[in-house]
Amino acid sequence: FLAMEIASTGDVGNVNDHAYKYLLIPFDRNQPIVEKLGDNQGGLSNDDLVGTAKKYFQDEKKKLGSSNTSSQYLQLPAEQKKVIANSIRQKTGNAAALSHVSDDDILQMLETSQNSAACNIIAVTVPTKVNNFQAVSMYTSQDDDESSDVGVNMRAVSFLHSMGHTNANCKGDVFIGRCIDDENGDVWKRVDFSIVDLSSDSEWCQIAKLKGGGGSSAGGKPFSLNGLISGQQEHQQQNLSHGTSAQQDGYTWSQNDEEVEIIFVVRSVIKSKSVRLSVSNKSGIKLLVAGEKLLSGMLGGNIMADDCTYTLSDINDVNVDGKKKELVLTLCKKDNGVQWPFPVKK
């Protein structure tokens, strides 16, 4: 597979104990596949490959001028900025609380939302005992959809097809890497995925095609890891009857005089050990689920950090399609009765 097309001009140089190899496959077939080096020191919570892919796609998006930034809005006359900011306040369903946030801050939050780094994660294989808990994943632009003008990455698609994902399609440049992910052994680390691993005759490919090998059966479609942490728009709840509530950035939130609740809907395969939550008045909040950052930024008010918790439970709701879980963050206010204008500022 692709033996005649591969030509590495990668940036692989000095290798240290924490280094691993991964690939960048340009959608332009005239461009060689690039072998790159990543650093394992960040671990799962700060995965170097995911961070690199997100920044890469974000930079490409800016080069194409495909995103509108609030800097354009900030140059408008004050009255026009007010109209835009008020429109955003109304759409959140929390206009009263956001009335205390300046128009410029509202537009700054809009910029952050529009220009946030993100990528799609496609599981070529999932970790199993048969494949020694090795997972191979592709990382593509979040703008990779049928309406996108970006070209189809035929080399990446051919590779997916050779692995049994015959309905697969992806556009634009693609990153591909491998990790060992053994939940029972509490092991997660990146390992090499080099150009020789693109061969469908390689040992890992042959193992993946075995029963229980973690690959796809013929005619299969690659599993999107983004699906593990998606579905937030399919389910909205307001558990606190007093105070404010709204939907924002893929989650719903509500508050009363004592607490703020932030609610995500995640796939049923998510386990508590996949959730990493850190929260403090000084550094704000950071939430990782299955290695993906769902939430990060400064809080809308002061908290009692030791009393903040989260729960993960099954959803029994006929209005929600498929099996999902509800991840609820409960933040205890330090100043009772103070209404937060927003839960988290990116």
Side-chain angles (χ1 to χ4, degrees):
F1 166 71
L2 294 181
M4 302 301 295
E5 299 181 23
I6 295 172
S8 172
T9 60
D11 56 8
V12 176
N14 295 327
V15 178
N16 58 50
D17 292 339
H18 302 287
Y20 62 89
K21 297 176 184 179
Y22 64 95
L23 301 179
L24 170 62
I25 307 176
F27 83 91
D28 183 354
R29 294 179 66 152
N30 294 317
Q31 297 295 319
I33 295 172
V34 182
E35 197 170 84
K36 291 179 168 289
L37 278 181
D39 193 322
N40 251 319
Q41 293 185 83
L44 175 61
S45 61
N46 192 23
D47 184 6
D48 180 63
L49 174 50
V50 172
T52 298
K54 287 182 176 180
K55 185 178 186 305
Y56 179 89
F57 295 128
Q58 183 183 33
D59 291 344
E60 289 298 304
K61 188 176 181 180
K62 289 179 179 178
K63 288 179 185 177
L64 294 172
S66 58
S67 63
N68 296 318
T69 67
S70 69
S71 59
Q72 298 171 313
Y73 301 125
L74 293 175
Q75 297 173 10
L76 296 172
E79 287 303 315
Q80 292 187 37
K81 288 195 291 185
K82 184 176 291 295
V83 170
I84 296 171
N86 283 338
S87 175
I88 294 171
R89 291 184 182 98
Q90 293 296 329
K91 288 179 180 179
T92 65
N94 200 17
L98 289 177
S99 64
H100 302 294
V101 182
S102 71
D103 294 342
D104 283 352
D105 282 347
I106 292 288
L107 295 178
Q108 187 64 48
M109 286 188 280
L110 174 63
E111 177 186 16
T112 301
S113 175
Q114 288 181 334
N115 295 324
S116 60
C119 65
N120 291 323
I121 307 174
I122 299 173
V124 181
T125 65
V126 295
T128 68
K129 188 174 182 179
V130 173
N131 66 21
N132 291 320
F133 303 102
Q134 295 189 50
V136 175
S137 300
M138 277 189 177
Y139 303 85
T140 69
S141 170
Q142 201 170 52
D143 292 333
D144 171 17
D145 55 36
E146 295 301 323
S147 63
S148 172
D149 293 330
V150 179
V152 173
N153 194 317
M154 293 305 300
R155 290 182 290 190
V157 169
S158 296
F159 175 69
L160 286 170
H161 286 188
S162 75
M163 293 300 298
H165 301 295
T166 54
N167 294 324
N169 189 34
C170 57
K171 295 183 177 182
D173 298 343
V174 170
F175 290 87
I176 183 168
R178 173 163 48 197
C179 70
I180 295 176
D181 186 3
D182 181 1
E183 282 195 8
N184 292 329
D186 197 24
V187 175
W188 189 96
K189 67 175 182 178
R190 287 284 178 190
V191 292
D192 287 344
F193 191 93
S194 59
I195 284 178
V196 296
D197 290 308
L198 283 177
S199 170
S200 57
D201 293 327
S202 62
E203 182 180 3
W204 80 269
C205 287
Q206 297 304 312
I207 293 174
K209 294 173 184 178
L210 298 174
K211 183 177 180 180
S216 171
S217 58
K221 188 173 183 180
F223 178 66
S224 172
L225 294 184
N226 298 75
L228 290 173
I229 54 176
S230 68
Q232 289 92 338
Q233 275 124 28
E234 300 175 25
H235 181 64
Q236 301 178 29
Q237 287 190 340
Q238 297 177 2
N239 287 336
L240 302 182
S241 58
H242 302 289
T244 56
S245 60
Q247 182 181 11
Q248 182 172 333
D249 291 340
Y251 59 84
T252 58
W253 74 283
S254 54
Q255 67 176 317
N256 59 22
D257 287 343
E258 293 81 29
E259 296 177 338
V260 172
E261 279 195 349
I262 301 175
I263 302 172
F264 291 88
V265 175
V266 298
R267 297 293 182 180
S268 60
V269 294
I270 292 294
K271 300 177 181 178
S272 293
K273 64 171 65 178
S274 302
V275 180
R276 298 288 185 270
L277 174 66
S278 61
V279 59
S280 72
N281 289 313
K282 183 177 180 179
S283 58
I285 188 171
K286 185 175 182 180
L287 173 66
L288 299 171
V289 175
E292 287 295 298
K293 186 187 298 181
L294 266 64
L295 194 61
S296 181
M298 298 308 297
L299 296 167
N302 293 322
I303 58 164
M304 295 184 291
D306 291 341
D307 295 329
C308 296
T309 62
Y310 73 86
T311 60
L312 185 64
S313 58
D314 293 330
I315 295 175
N316 297 312
D317 190 336
V318 294
N319 296 316
V320 179
D321 295 330
K323 293 182 178 179
K324 293 185 175 67
K325 290 182 178 179
E326 184 178 71
L327 176 60
V328 181
L329 313 183
T330 302
L331 309 178
C332 295
K333 294 180 178 180
K334 184 176 181 180
D335 306 308
N336 287 351
V338 174
Q339 296 298 297
W340 290 16
F342 50 82
V344 179
K345 183 176 182 180
K346 291 184 178 180

